[in-house]
Amino acid sequence: MKLLEQVQRGPVAAPRRTLLYGVHGVGKAQPLDAKVLTPNGFVNMGNLNVGDEVIGSDGQAHRVIGVYPQGAKEVFRVTFRDGSTTRCCDDHLWFTQTFNERAMGLVGAVRTLRDIRRTLRYGTHFNHAVPRVQPVQFADLGETLPIDPWLLGMYLGDGCSSGNVLITNPEPDLQAKVAASLDAGDACAQATAISVRIKSRSRGQQAILKSCLESLGLCGLESHEKFVPRLFLHGSIDQRLALLQGLLDSDGYVTKPGAVEFCSASRQLAADVCFLVRSLGGSARLIVKLKPTFTHRGEKRVGRTAYRVFASFPAEIVPVSSEKHLRKWAAPQWKILHTIRSVETVGTQLCQCIRIDAPDSLYVTDDFILTHNSTFGAMAQAPVFIQTEDGLTNIDCQRFPLATKYADVIAALGELYTEPHEYRTVVVDSVDWLERLIWADVCQKRSVESIEDIGYGKGYVFALTNWREVLQGLDALRNERGMSVILIAHAQIERFANPETDTYDRYSPRLHKQASALVQEWADEVLFATYSIHTKTTEEGFGRKRVVGLGTGERIIRTTERPAHVAKNRLNLPDEFPLDYRIYAAFARGENPLANAASPAEEGV
């Protein structure tokens, strides 16, 4: 047959090759006065700068690599079972496990706050549970704690220091532990049948323990005035656990396996106990009992307000150490559920988001927020993820093990090409983290430490060989296995030198310019995920006008290149549509899913 007789006409149906990239913070926006946890404690979101460190979901410090103002947004207060709260916008993404997912043994999925509000309850049950941060590692301040942390906890619960330091507790094992925890210059003497006195071994000298309490501002305090010094709140994990054990050995008791109660007349001390529990990955709920009554020698009296903390812990945390408590303690018989109890609007506030260099981009705020931008790929037909960044752990999807080197990615492509399977879409998340693996492979082959060490930009040229190998593998899956391809990327702001205008900034995929050009040319669609923004012009008097950008909170995809961003499509897609794979797929089939359809908010997209 002659070639002229094989000429085809019209579009040829083929699986799509899609590159989706988005601005940092799509789905992540908090008010400027929201608290974000750093290695040195909580700070306001609005005070963070690029280069600062914040605590990630793994409890470790991660560097802030981007700060992105989001303008004025409607903000909601999210309240949890234990009374803790945080604030975010309606499109903030959360990883939650619903009642049905818990019943079916499913891990959960990523959802917007808008979707959570619509499905807050499942019958009589609170529907959405959010996981907790791992035990937090604060910065090493280089200071030696002046008091053994367990002993300080014991003193705060059962001690006084108006004269000599006394610790009132009749348990022999605790009295012995008090003695063992003292500085070598102090000694422990029996004061009464139920208390011990701490005094200096040097005649006429003040006990070292009392001097330390004075320096910490803890000496002579009444029970309702006690608190935990900041130095101890931000100690190591082991130090904070020992401090908590001292507090619970003194003023706490085991209520059931895996759970304890702590009671204090000090609001601040109770709040500090909540901080300690949560920083160790546990759950803490504070209950206030106003003017409790009690009987003393036949006389009915009214006591101080009581602050009761009910805490539960994961199996690896044992928050008590006394023999009495350990006899009752056992591993928890249930999974800690951090359920969302209410969501209420608190008005419009200025917001921003941050990006950190943790693989999953998650950070700890007033409470523990998990977000990710991979839901687009997860909604594709029978997807399997090749993950190059560790952000899919809490997404209900099929995925290869985390790729830690370039060869892992090539091996995954090879398995999909040669082995039988039912996957219809391959998602690479993300290509900017894949680029790091490519650079590492280039450096290893040329025995250099950095891609820049090769010189004169040659390293980036050598990397194109790896990129072509990846794209050829993806094309083989597309052409011979009938699989669609989705590449997920983060965005960067680049300076674009337009020969027809002045140089200006625009969004583009976060890749080196040569790799970015290669991948964009290969893809059928380059889609930009962002927020819907409109402008409002206001009169300020004297003929002056002010243009203000307002965010609607709706996440959208833009398909046509504009001065502000890179984009392209070969499907004649509309200029923009909601960030939802189902809508994109319908357009790819030649349908118009937005004709006579409800808004994304009404559909819960």
Side-chain angles (χ1 to χ4, degrees), residues 132-153:
R132 297 182 179 276
V133 69
Q134 296 297 306
V136 173
Q137 183 66 59
F138 289 109
D140 183 358
L141 301 179
E143 298 181 50
T144 301
L145 296 182
I147 303 173
D148 179 278
W150 178 87
L151 179 60
L152 177 64

Side-chain angles (χ1 to χ4, degrees), residues 525-575:
E525 287 85 40
V526 178
L527 307 178
F528 176 57
T530 185
Y531 282 115
S532 177
I533 301 291
H534 68 270
T535 59
K536 178 181 179 181
T537 303
T538 59
E539 298 286 346
E540 294 194 335
F542 303 101
R544 292 179 299 180
K545 296 182 179 181
R546 182 186 180 195
V547 179
V548 180
L550 301 175
T552 66
E554 179 187 4
R555 294 172 297 143
I556 60 171
I557 286 176
R558 288 182 175 162
T559 67
T560 305
E561 182 158 332
R562 299 179 185 177
H565 60 261
V566 171
K568 78 169 188 178
N569 77 85
R570 297 170 179 167
L571 284 173
N572 195 28
L573 297 170
D575 287 345

Side-chain angles (χ1 to χ4, degrees), residues 282-445:
S283 170
R285 184 182 184 191
L286 177 60
I287 301 296
V288 179
K289 187 174 182 181
L290 298 174
K291 298 181 179 180
T293 59
F294 64 96
T295 301
H296 178 69
R297 296 180 178 178
E299 180 185 356
K300 189 173 183 179
R301 297 184 180 183
V302 178
R304 292 186 178 276
T305 299
Y307 300 94
R308 304 170 67 189
V309 177
F310 295 88
S312 54
F313 299 85
E316 62 271 17
I317 298 293
V318 180
V320 294
S321 66
S322 72
E323 293 178 2
K324 179 182 72 175
H325 288 151
L326 288 174
R327 283 195 294 268
K328 298 180 182 179
W329 184 261
Q333 298 174 353
W334 66 96
K335 182 180 180 181
I336 297 174
L337 293 179
H338 196 38
T339 49
I340 297 175
R341 295 302 179 92
S342 66
V343 180
E344 56 186 340
T345 182
V346 292
T348 300
Q349 299 178 19
L350 291 175
C351 297
Q352 77 174 26
C353 65
I354 60 174
R355 177 165 176 77
I356 66 176
D357 63 1
D360 59 7
S361 300
L362 309 180
Y363 60 91
V364 178
T365 180
D366 304 279
D367 225 310
F368 311 113
I369 298 172
L370 298 179
T371 60
H372 201 272
N373 64 355
S374 292
T375 50
F376 183 89
M379 288 188 289
Q381 181 184 14
V384 60
F385 282 73
I386 299 176
Q387 53 174 344
T388 59
E389 60 171 297
D390 191 12
L392 296 175
T393 306
N394 293 316
I395 295 179
D396 187 13
C397 63
Q398 301 293 313
R399 56 187 177 272
F400 286 96
L402 177 65
T404 58
K405 53 185 182 296
Y406 173 70
D408 295 338
V409 177
I410 296 302
L413 294 175
E415 287 276 316
L416 290 173
Y417 181 76
T418 59
E419 300 297 325
H421 60 79
E422 297 182 355
Y423 299 119
R424 307 303 304 155
T425 307
V426 57
V427 184
V428 180
D429 186 5
S430 64
V431 289
D432 40 309
W433 281 75
L434 169 59
E435 185 169 57
R436 300 186 185 196
L437 302 182
I438 288 176
W439 289 351
D441 184 71
V442 171
C443 291
Q444 182 183 19
K445 290 177 179 177

Side-chain angles (χ1 to χ4, degrees), residues 93-110:
L93 296 178
W94 298 71
F95 168 71
T96 75
Q97 188 184 47
T98 64
F99 179 83
N100 275 336
E101 287 167 340
R102 294 192 290 274
M104 298 170 63
L106 301 177
V107 294
V110 173

Side-chain angles (χ1 to χ4, degrees), residues 50-287:
V50 172
D52 292 345
E53 287 188 332
V54 302
I55 299 296
S57 61
D58 57 0
Q60 304 296 313
H62 297 275
R63 189 170 59 87
V64 176
I65 59 176
V67 177
Y68 308 95
Q70 297 292 309
K73 291 183 175 294
E74 184 180 12
V75 171
F76 295 82
R77 178 182 293 112
V78 183
T79 302
F80 291 80
R81 170 187 175 275
D82 60 6
S84 56
T85 65
T86 190
R87 290 167 295 152
C88 64
C89 70
D90 211 18
D91 268 322
H92 197 103
L93 296 178
W94 298 71
F95 168 71
T96 75
Q97 188 184 47
T98 64
F99 179 83
N100 275 336
E101 287 167 340
R102 294 192 290 274
M104 298 170 63
L106 301 177
V107 294
V110 173
R111 300 172 171 92
T112 65
L113 183 64
R114 178 184 292 109
D115 291 337
I116 292 170
R117 289 196 294 116
R118 291 175 53 250
T119 58
L120 191 62
R121 283 182 174 269
Y122 183 84
T124 60
H125 301 277
F126 288 102
N127 197 21
H128 295 275
V130 177
R132 297 182 179 276
V133 69
Q134 296 297 306
V136 173
Q137 183 66 59
F138 289 109
D140 183 358
L141 301 179
E143 298 181 50
T144 301
L145 296 182
I147 303 173
D148 179 278
W150 178 87
L151 179 60
L152 177 64
M154 198 70 191
Y155 167 79
L156 291 173
D158 281 344
C160 66
S161 55
S162 55
N164 290 322
V165 180
L166 289 177
I167 294 181
T168 302
N169 190 294
E171 299 169 50
D173 64 305
L174 293 183
Q175 291 189 4
K177 192 171 181 179
V178 168
S181 302
L182 293 174
D183 187 277
D186 285 349
C188 187
Q190 195 75 31
T192 69
I194 62 171
S195 65
V196 292
R197 178 186 295 110
I198 315 304
K199 61 181 182 179
S200 174
R201 293 181 184 273
S202 301
R203 185 180 297 275
Q205 296 294 317
Q206 180 171 266
I208 297 173
L209 176 58
K210 185 163 185 177
S211 297
C212 292
L213 293 173
E214 288 177 344
S215 68
L216 294 169
L218 294 173
C219 194
L221 297 183
E222 299 289 337
S223 61
H224 64 282
E225 299 173 321
K226 291 181 177 180
F227 64 95
V228 177
R230 183 178 184 275
L231 178 64
F232 286 80
L233 284 177
H234 294 162
S236 69
I237 293 173
D238 289 341
Q239 289 169 340
R240 297 199 312 275
L241 178 57
L243 172 60
L244 183 61
Q245 288 173 338
L247 286 160
L248 296 178
D249 285 347
S250 57
D251 267 354
Y253 68 92
V254 178
T255 57
K256 51 187 171 182
V260 295
E261 178 184 345
F262 174 84
C263 187
S264 175
S266 169
R267 173 186 287 273
Q268 185 59 56
L269 184 57
D272 292 340
V273 169
C274 288
F275 182 97
L276 290 169
V277 171
R278 292 168 181 167
S279 76
L280 294 169
S283 170
R285 184 182 184 191
L286 177 60
I287 301 296

Side-chain angles (χ1 to χ4, degrees), residues 507-526:
Y507 285 111
S508 66
R510 195 173 71 184
L511 296 170
H512 185 269
K513 60 182 180 181
Q514 296 186 45
S516 184
L518 179 66
V519 173
Q520 289 183 55
E521 174 61 27
W522 171 86
D524 296 315
E525 287 85 40
V526 178

